[in-house]
Amino acid sequence: MEQFTQLISFVFGSAKGIALLLLAAPLISFVLLFFIKSRKLVNLVSISSISISLLAALYLLKISVDGNTFSLSTPWLTVGNIHIDFSIHIDIVSVLMLTLVSIVAIMVLVFSTEYMRNESRYSIFFGYISLFVFAMFGLLISRNLFWMYLFWELVGFCSYLLIGFYTQKQSAILANKKAFIINRIGDLGFLAGLMLLLSSLGTLDLYELATRIQEHGLFVSIADQQLIHYAGYAFFIAVIAKSAQFPLHIWLPDAMEGPTPVSALIHAATMVIAGVYLLLQIYFLLDPTVLNFIAIIGSFTAFLGAFIAGRQYDLKKILAYSTISQLGYMVMAVGVAAPMAAFYHLYTHAFFKAALFLAAGSIIHRIHTQDIREMSGVRRLLPITFVVYLISAAALVGIPFFSGFFSKEAILNETWHWAQLHGNIYLLVPFFAFAGVMLTAYYVFRHVSLMFFGEQKKIESSIKKEHCAISVPLIVLSTGSLFMYPLYEEVHELAYMPYITISLMSIGFVFAYLLIYKKVVALLPATHLFNRLDTNVSSGLGNVVVYFAKYISWFDQYIVDGFVNFLGNLGVVLSGVAAWLDKYIIDASVNFIGNGTQKVGDIVRRSQTGKVQSYFAFSALLLVVIIWFFMRGI
């Protein structure tokens, strides 16, 4: 009883205990939900557990605001001079992330109580979500890169379960396999980075690495310098796969085969932001060459995602490519030496993208289609969803006074300043970033116009009004799109940058308006000429996209898939070699030793007759041999 009292006192009476409670709550929920069948009890257990984690995160946030940090560590594995501890670390960044994940997860769970109410595997779905949140919590507070890697793998496994939740859909099964395989490529990069760090610096503890760099510098030899350089690239491969950067972005649009609440959780606050968070945690290990490469990949991904989104008609895929684009901005920000600007945009993006996905789920739940061409006039059916979507879309575009404007401006300021310092080819980075701003305005105006405005189509639905379990999470999440406390203090604030971005947004809006509403062109003089021009512009844009899509398809088929197939075939060959070695070398050696031992035993056993005369004669003979051996030299 006394030990139980001490445990309760530790858990609820110390910050370290609160941190462990935060981590344990969703794991306990996951275990319990496999034994609960009542849907009301499922709702209570799942939402209550994450609510406990949220309260714990808020308590830790209160402590961390003043700059207080703490760690909890216990020895786990020792191999030679390498010590790996199970350790957690709490600071302001990790606590803000914990709070973010908790809020989004609770809203997703509340939304799911209505959206998933007709599913036969209801409790299993909520159990998967709880395990997913546990894995993300563990990743966020891990102080050791090895434990972060384990939770990184668990996050990927949970996404595999959730993307393929509809096991009766072949497309869902293929999508979760694709996500799993591509993320394994990134996991190999993470593992390679761990091995390079161990061989060069001898530790995976983030605090020890940071302290060593601060006190003694990063490199103790040229060899270590090369290993750390390669480790930076290896870790970035992991980021490319997990955060859907070019060229390993292809799994994310297919992940839309999972339930819409899963899409909101994956795209807003869990899996895809894990890569960006990893970059923030290891930023001090990245040398300028690696950072330049990160900036180029991130900027091109920001442009590519927005470009492809402009030609999609599936609502969830539009939002998926939008996520790819916004993740590109975050990665680019890290590359241009503005990691906290990336963190700020990560935070604002989580709220408006979660709101957008859940609003998309509200629309799909009502009219049972994802094609934006079949959603004309939806604002009259779903007024709350319409307002929330409009607010969140404004934040996505970066319209002034919405949260996305401040975080995106911070990134663009730092990017332009960085490009001016580097010059030459690096000017492409802000070019892609600015092009992404214009294209974002274009695809947002395009799909919002087609969905909410125009003549309302007749829709047969048994749902008469928006359920509170759907509307309340939308309203809560949209508040984060209206305003977000500035998590980043401008370092290189450029007074003219807002005018540039507003001009680019305006061009995107006007271009979308001219292409969608052709009647604007028809009212002008020389109607025939302008109609032809409009048709040519639309057709030309379409052809560019088609050719670009063909190139991406070719790249996917012959480069990405080719690489994956090569790894698979290599694995088969290596398995065959290993099987041969196992059968003809290892097993043969073991069998030889075993048979030899048996033969020797048989010989020895024959000498054991049980007769005293035989033993006496053998002893006498042995004594004669020994005497002869020692007397032969005399």
Side-chain angles (χ1 to χ4, degrees):
M1 187 64 183
E2 183 179 352
Q3 293 179 342
F4 179 75
T5 304
Q6 291 177 350
L7 177 63
I8 295 298
S9 176
F10 171 74
V11 171
F12 294 99
S14 67
K16 295 179 180 179
I18 293 293
L20 291 178
L21 176 64
L22 178 146
L23 184 62
L27 180 61
I28 295 172
S29 171
F30 165 71
V31 174
L32 293 177
L33 288 173
F34 274 85
F35 301 97
I36 298 174
K37 300 301 179 184
S38 170
R39 299 199 173 196
K40 290 184 178 180
L41 195 54
V42 168
N43 298 342
L44 178 64
V45 170
S46 58
I47 296 175
S48 298
S49 65
I50 309 301
S51 298
I52 291 171
S53 296
L54 175 60
L55 293 174
L58 292 174
Y59 174 78
L60 295 174
L61 180 61
K62 178 178 178 295
I63 296 174
S64 303
V65 164
D66 297 328
N68 297 318
T69 64
F70 64 88
S71 299
L72 180 63
S73 180
T74 182
W76 181 69
L77 179 66
T78 299
V79 180
N81 296 325
I82 299 173
H83 304 279
I84 298 178
D85 300 337
F86 175 73
S87 53
I88 62 174
H89 182 71
I90 300 296
D91 57 16
I92 187 63
V93 173
S94 62
V95 171
L96 284 171
M97 289 296 298
L98 291 170
T99 306
L100 170 66
V101 173
S102 300
I103 293 173
V104 174
I106 290 173
M107 295 301 104
V108 167
L109 289 172
V110 172
F111 184 90
S112 300
T113 59
E114 172 62 19
Y115 190 87
M116 303 293 292
R117 63 188 175 90
N118 294 323
E119 291 294 331
S120 58
R121 301 168 66 223
Y122 187 83
S123 61
I124 294 177
F125 175 80
F126 280 76
Y128 288 166
I129 293 288
S130 297
L131 182 63
F132 201 6
V133 173
F134 163 74
M136 194 64 196
F137 282 166
L139 188 150
L140 293 175
I141 64 176
S142 292
R143 174 175 147 171
N144 191 292
L145 281 172
F146 177 79
W147 282 99
M148 183 179 288
Y149 173 72
L150 295 183
F151 284 113
W152 177 280
E153 291 284 1
L154 184 56
V155 166
F157 176 68
C158 292
S159 68
Y160 169 82
L161 296 175
L162 288 167
I163 293 169
F165 181 76
Y166 294 131
T167 54
Q168 71 279 10
K169 289 175 61 178
Q170 184 64 22
S171 57
I173 299 301
L174 294 175
N176 71 350
K177 287 181 179 178
K178 187 175 186 179
F180 194 78
I181 291 172
I182 291 178
N183 274 278
R184 294 294 72 74
I185 298 173
D187 296 342
L188 286 174
F190 200 133
L191 190 59
L194 295 181
M195 291 188 290
L196 289 169
L197 279 183
L198 274 178
S199 60
S200 59
L201 300 180
T203 182
L204 297 177
D205 188 284
L206 287 168
Y207 182 77
E208 291 181 11
L209 289 170
T211 302
R212 175 175 176 176
I213 291 169
Q214 184 178 2
E215 293 180 355
H216 306 294
L218 176 59
F219 308 121
V220 295
S221 68
I222 298 298
D224 283 344
Q225 183 176 358
Q226 287 296 321
L227 289 176
I228 297 299
H229 176 72
Y230 294 138
Y233 283 115
F235 282 121
F236 186 55
I237 291 173
V239 174
I240 288 175
K242 189 73 77 176
S243 292
Q245 299 297 287
F246 177 83
L248 299 182
H249 63 283
I250 54 177
W251 68 269
L252 194 58
D254 291 342
M256 297 301 98
E257 293 294 337
T260 302
V262 172
S263 302
L265 194 59
I266 289 178
H267 287 245
T270 52
M271 184 171 176
V272 295
I273 67 169
V276 179
Y277 184 76
L278 174 63
L279 282 181
L280 297 177
Q281 291 294 88
I282 64 168
Y283 178 75
F284 58 87
L285 291 171
L286 304 175
D287 61 51
T289 305
V290 177
L291 288 174
N292 292 345
F293 180 71
I294 291 173
I296 293 171
I297 294 295
S299 63
F300 182 71
T301 304
F303 165 78
L304 179 66
F307 186 83
I308 299 176
R311 294 297 295 180
Q312 299 295 316
Y313 288 102
D314 186 305
L315 175 56
K316 290 177 67 175
K317 286 197 173 182
I318 291 173
L319 296 179
Y321 283 110
S322 168
T323 300
I324 292 172
S325 177
Q326 298 306 307
L327 289 168
Y329 280 107
M330 300 174 206
V331 170
M332 179 185 70
V334 175
V336 299
M340 289 312 296
F343 178 71
Y344 187 20
H345 193 55
L346 183 156
Y347 221 83
T348 60
H349 173 263
F351 281 96
F352 65 69
K353 187 52 63 68
L356 286 170
F357 265 108
L358 293 186
S362 173
I363 297 170
I364 296 167
H365 186 61
R366 179 66 180 270
I367 63 178
H368 308 293
T369 181
Q370 295 179 194
D371 193 325
I372 60 175
R373 292 168 294 189
E374 301 175 8
M375 298 179 181
S376 181
V378 169
R379 75 181 189 280
R380 298 183 181 90
L381 289 174
L382 303 167
I384 296 176
T385 300
F386 167 65
V387 173
V388 167
Y389 203 99
L390 216 57
I391 292 172
S392 304
L396 169 61
V397 174
I399 292 177
F401 310 114
F402 290 88
S403 62
F405 169 77
F406 300 104
S407 59
K408 194 176 288 187
E409 283 297 301
I411 293 175
L412 294 174
N413 276 317
E414 298 297 338
T415 301
W416 182 242
H417 175 78
W418 174 88
Q420 287 179 314
L421 293 177
H422 287 73
N424 300 325
I425 192 67
Y426 295 108
L427 289 172
L428 279 174
V429 171
F431 171 79
F432 283 134
F434 290 139
V437 171
M438 182 177 64
L439 290 171
T440 301
Y442 168 77
Y443 74 73
V444 168
F445 185 93
R446 173 179 174 268
H447 84 272
V448 168
S449 298
L450 292 175
M451 283 197 309
F452 293 110
F453 297 95
E455 183 180 353
Q456 182 178 350
K457 296 186 177 180
K458 185 178 180 181
I459 299 170
E460 298 294 336
S461 177
S462 59
I463 305 172
K464 301 302 179 184
K465 62 179 182 178
E466 295 168 277
H467 196 281
C468 63
I470 287 181
S471 58
V472 170
L474 294 179
I475 295 170
V476 171
L477 290 171
S478 65
T479 56
S481 304
L482 289 170
F483 174 76
M484 180 65 64
Y485 184 82
L487 302 175
Y488 174 75
E489 184 176 350
E490 294 285 358
V491 178
H492 303 104
E493 186 173 2
L494 306 175
Y496 53 81
M497 187 58 65
Y499 300 104
I500 294 176
T501 54
I502 291 172
S503 300
L504 292 171
M505 283 186 282
S506 301
I507 293 172
F509 286 144
V510 171
F511 189 57
Y513 189 79
L514 291 175
L515 288 181
I516 295 169
Y517 299 99
K518 297 182 180 181
K519 59 184 181 181
V520 174
V521 178
L523 293 175
L524 297 175
T527 302
H528 178 69
L529 176 62
F530 278 101
N531 279 336
R532 198 153 130 208
L533 174 63
D534 180 59
T535 302
N536 290 337
V537 170
S538 301
S539 176
L541 181 62
N543 290 333
V544 170
V545 174
V546 168
Y547 286 127
F548 193 76
K550 287 181 178 178
Y551 167 74
I552 294 297
S553 176
W554 177 88
F555 188 88
D556 178 33
Q557 181 178 356
Y558 293 102
I559 303 300
V560 179
D561 288 350
F563 181 67
V564 172
N565 293 334
F566 168 75
L567 291 178
N569 294 331
L570 180 63
V572 172
V573 172
L574 292 177
S575 299
V577 173
W580 184 88
L581 290 173
D582 183 49
K583 182 177 181 181
Y584 294 103
I585 303 298
I586 298 175
D587 286 353
S589 301
V590 172
N591 293 335
F592 173 77
I593 294 172
N595 293 332
T597 303
Q598 185 178 8
K599 296 294 183 182
V600 172
D602 290 340
I603 295 172
V604 174
R605 186 170 61 251
R606 292 193 187 99
S607 67
Q608 305 299 313
T609 63
K611 297 179 180 181
V612 177
Q613 300 93 318
S614 300
Y615 296 155
F616 181 77
F618 180 76
S619 299
L621 179 62
L622 183 63
L623 180 62
V624 170
V625 170
I626 293 173
I627 292 172
W628 172 81
F629 179 80
F630 283 104
M631 296 294 292
R632 63 194 173 95
I634 299 176

